[in-house]
Amino acid sequence: MQLPHLKNGFLAFTLVAIASFSNVVLASCSPTSSQSQAPNHHSGMNHNTTMDLGPADANYDLRFIDAMIPHHQGAVVMAKEAQQKSQRPEIKQLAEEIIKAQNQEISQMQQWRTAWYPKAGDQPMAYNAHHGQMVEMSSAQMQAMMMNMDLGAADQEFDLRFIKAMIPHHEAAVTMAKDVVKKSQRAEIKNLAQTIIKAQDAEINQMQQWGTAWYNK
């Protein structure tokens, strides 16, 4: 999947590439960066990006919602593919849990957006760290936030590719959720963030165990 060029270079907002659970490295989401293309089946961790949500201002929760909704949608896309292609009941069950939980959270965030930001409009919003202001999220940025990828054929390596795609995807969600815990003033958003951290950390640990047991990876 080739991301289209952004219409205006200055609208490219900061993405945070996860270097570890405790440290992050800032990187720009530009048409020539490594995040401009979705990885192929063997490209590893190139797509583990997460948005800089900006300062704890009046629109912070709006930017979190507009980032996490497409991010969850990307997880659901990959989980549905795993349901169709995986031969392991463990992966199918995990995929079912991801779809159920994240679709529920998407619905809840959509309701909050409507209730809390009735004048926000339909276009998702992002934070432009370079200019220190909020901007409309481009379609390319929306696709980058989804972080989904083609997991390939239903072969013996399918579950490994799913695991290697979903772990960094979950890590990105956990990073954004931790940012929310520090910055949001809304109890509802903080509770959602804590739920995301707890559930997805547990799923990361489970997938890591499966990777070791099934593929020695």
Side-chain angles (χ1 to χ4, degrees):
M1 182 269 297
Q2 179 74 39
L3 291 182
H5 287 275
L6 301 179
K7 293 181 179 179
N8 297 292
F10 76 92
L11 289 181
F13 59 95
T14 303
L15 296 179
V16 181
I18 298 176
S20 67
F21 287 111
S22 58
N23 297 298
V24 293
V25 178
L26 294 181
S28 172
C29 179
S30 68
T32 57
S33 71
S34 62
Q35 283 78 27
S36 295
Q37 295 181 338
N40 61 29
H41 310 321
H42 309 287
S43 60
M45 304 281 283
N46 287 343
H47 69 320
N48 54 340
T49 57
T50 162
M51 186 185 298
D52 177 2
L53 299 173
D57 58 21
N59 289 311
Y60 176 83
D61 293 333
L62 172 63
R63 295 192 298 271
F64 167 72
I65 288 169
D66 284 354
M68 193 60 78
I69 285 176
H71 192 72
H72 272 17
Q73 289 170 337
V76 170
V77 168
M78 290 193 292
K80 287 182 177 179
E81 187 175 357
Q83 281 187 324
Q84 295 173 351
K85 296 180 180 178
S86 177
Q87 300 303 310
R88 287 186 168 94
E90 300 95 328
I91 292 289
K92 288 180 176 291
Q93 179 63 32
L94 173 61
E96 181 179 344
E97 291 169 359
I98 289 171
I99 293 166
K100 180 179 179 180
Q102 299 202 23
N103 273 337
Q104 288 177 345
E105 291 169 359
I106 288 168
S107 178
Q108 181 63 80
M109 287 187 285
Q110 288 171 334
Q111 292 176 36
W112 287 337
R113 192 184 196 277
T114 299
W116 297 343
Y117 303 98
K119 298 180 181 179
D122 295 334
Q123 186 68 22
M125 303 303 293
Y127 184 71
N128 185 323
H130 181 69
H131 291 274
Q133 64 185 19
M134 195 162 67
V135 297
E136 290 187 353
M137 194 184 299
S138 72
S139 59
Q141 292 162 346
M142 281 282 290
Q143 187 63 54
M145 280 310 303
M146 289 183 70
M147 283 177 61
N148 61 300
M149 58 185 287
D150 178 5
L151 298 173
D155 56 21
Q156 293 183 347
E157 297 286 304
F158 176 84
D159 291 337
L160 177 61
R161 293 192 299 273
F162 172 76
I163 289 169
K164 285 189 171 292
M166 195 60 77
I167 286 176
H169 197 284
H170 274 18
E171 289 173 344
V174 169
T175 296
M176 286 192 287
K178 287 180 177 178
D179 194 59
V180 167
V181 171
K182 293 187 295 184
K183 295 179 181 177
S184 178
Q185 301 302 310
R186 286 188 169 95
E188 301 96 323
I189 290 286
K190 285 179 175 286
N191 289 340
L192 172 61
Q194 294 285 11
T195 298
I196 290 171
I197 293 166
K198 181 178 180 180
Q200 299 201 22
D201 269 345
E203 290 172 354
I204 289 167
N205 182 61
Q206 181 63 80
M207 287 185 286
Q208 288 171 335
Q209 292 180 35
W210 287 338
T212 300
W214 297 340
Y215 299 100
N216 196 28
K217 299 287 187 179

